[in-house]
Amino acid sequence: MYDIGFTLADGRRGAAEMTSIADPLDRQWMANARYDDKRRIDGSTWAWMVRRRGRAIGLRELMTHLGVLAPLAEERNQTDLDVVVLDPELQHIASVQWFREVKIDVYAFRSTDHPGRVSFTGDNKGAMGDELPLDPLLDWLEQELTDPAFDADFAKINDSGCEEQHLVLRVDIGNRIPDQVAMALIDRDSILPTRRPAIPGRYLTGLWLIPEFGWSAVCWTDDDGWRRAKMVEPERQD
């Protein structure tokens, strides 16, 4: 069964399926952030921030090596582990060699109410230029949505018998999506696509693109073409 059923003003019935496009490694990595308050380096007086740079790293492995590297950084009053591991006197230490190989980002914060806490952040995205075009986003999505992983989502709406068949897609801003494409989707002033979606082997009359974070969503329908929809936070219920 599809996720959402709707009826347009002219009486046409519609079916919509909600899904996401994400890098599984990003999802796994950011799941670590749910337990920031419980994950700490014993004996550390600083708080630590870790960015994985697209690498797949086990949590137990990471915490084991940080338990060795954090004291070395604090002894030298150096908050950037990239600098710490360059010390020739430390090259014999296995954790130093591990860190140089995995090439993750680790930074510490000296003044903190959370000594020893380890927090996780996703890979940074960046792009240059004003009014980034969204056509490259559409080019990228058309290839991504041919993945067999989306077969069941399309089957649900295509088998609905409804005239309107929409895909509502949450787009995670991680390693799977190119930088320029990600920033164009987040940017509320980006230039909307200049053509309709054309996904090989797929049929749609509506496509909704909701970024993981940002100011607005972008949507296309057969009736109205491309539009931008402002995203607002729901009101809190006390």
Side-chain angles (χ1 to χ4, degrees), residues 48 58 71 99 102 188-189:
W48 300 84
F99 182 83
V102 298
R188 57 184 170 184
D189 296 319

Side-chain angles (χ1 to χ4, degrees), residues 16-230:
E17 181 69 10
M18 300 183 67
T19 188
S20 64
I21 186 166
D23 181 337
L25 291 178
D26 280 329
R27 287 282 181 89
Q28 180 181 353
W29 178 254
M30 292 310 297
N32 296 327
R34 300 174 188 169
Y35 306 102
D36 279 356
D37 288 337
K38 299 179 180 179
R39 188 172 296 111
R40 297 177 184 271
I41 299 173
D42 292 339
S44 174
T45 60
W46 294 352
W48 300 84
M49 179 68 70
V50 183
R51 182 169 70 92
R52 70 183 181 94
R53 291 184 184 171
R55 300 293 295 273
I57 298 173
L59 182 59
R60 182 177 298 179
E61 174 188 23
L62 172 68
M63 293 301 296
T64 297
H65 290 295
L66 285 185
V68 175
L69 295 168
L72 298 177
E74 293 183 50
E75 288 172 6
R76 290 158 175 75
N77 198 31
Q78 174 55 253
T79 58
D80 185 350
L81 283 191
D82 276 334
V83 176
V84 174
V85 299
L86 294 178
D87 189 335
E89 297 181 0
L90 304 179
Q91 301 313 302
H92 66 285
I93 299 175
S95 292
V96 170
Q97 298 171 7
W98 171 87
F99 182 83
R100 297 188 68 171
E101 291 175 3
V102 298
K103 298 180 180 179
I104 58 175
D105 285 334
V106 180
Y107 296 96
F109 300 90
R110 294 188 183 91
S111 300
T112 176
D113 296 326
H114 307 282
R117 184 170 73 176
V118 180
S119 301
F120 299 85
T121 183
D123 286 358
N124 295 336
K125 290 289 181 182
M128 300 295 292
D130 298 326
E131 296 185 339
L132 297 170
L134 277 165
D135 278 325
L137 168 67
L138 188 54
D139 295 338
W140 175 75
L141 275 176
E142 287 170 341
Q143 292 302 311
E144 292 290 318
L145 291 177
T146 62
D147 191 314
F150 296 101
D151 285 354
D153 300 306
F154 281 93
K156 289 179 184 179
I157 53 177
N158 294 160
D159 295 343
S160 67
C162 296
E163 295 173 86
E164 289 294 311
Q165 300 178 18
H166 293 201
L167 184 69
V168 182
L169 188 63
R170 171 191 153 115
V171 182
D172 283 7
I173 309 303
N175 282 294
R176 185 169 179 173
I177 183 171
D179 285 11
Q180 196 85 0
V181 169
M183 298 312 297
L185 181 58
I186 295 170
D187 185 359
R188 57 184 170 184
D189 296 319
S190 57
I191 302 171
L192 293 175
T194 56
R195 60 179 180 81
R196 63 182 292 130
I199 305 165
R202 310 291 199 192
Y203 175 76
L204 285 175
T205 63
L207 179 62
W208 300 71
L209 306 177
I210 304 173
E212 179 182 6
F213 51 85
W215 295 95
S216 63
V218 176
C219 57
W220 166 86
T221 63
D222 248 345
D223 290 341
D224 301 314
W226 287 98
R227 295 173 292 160
R228 195 183 305 278
K230 182 180 179 182

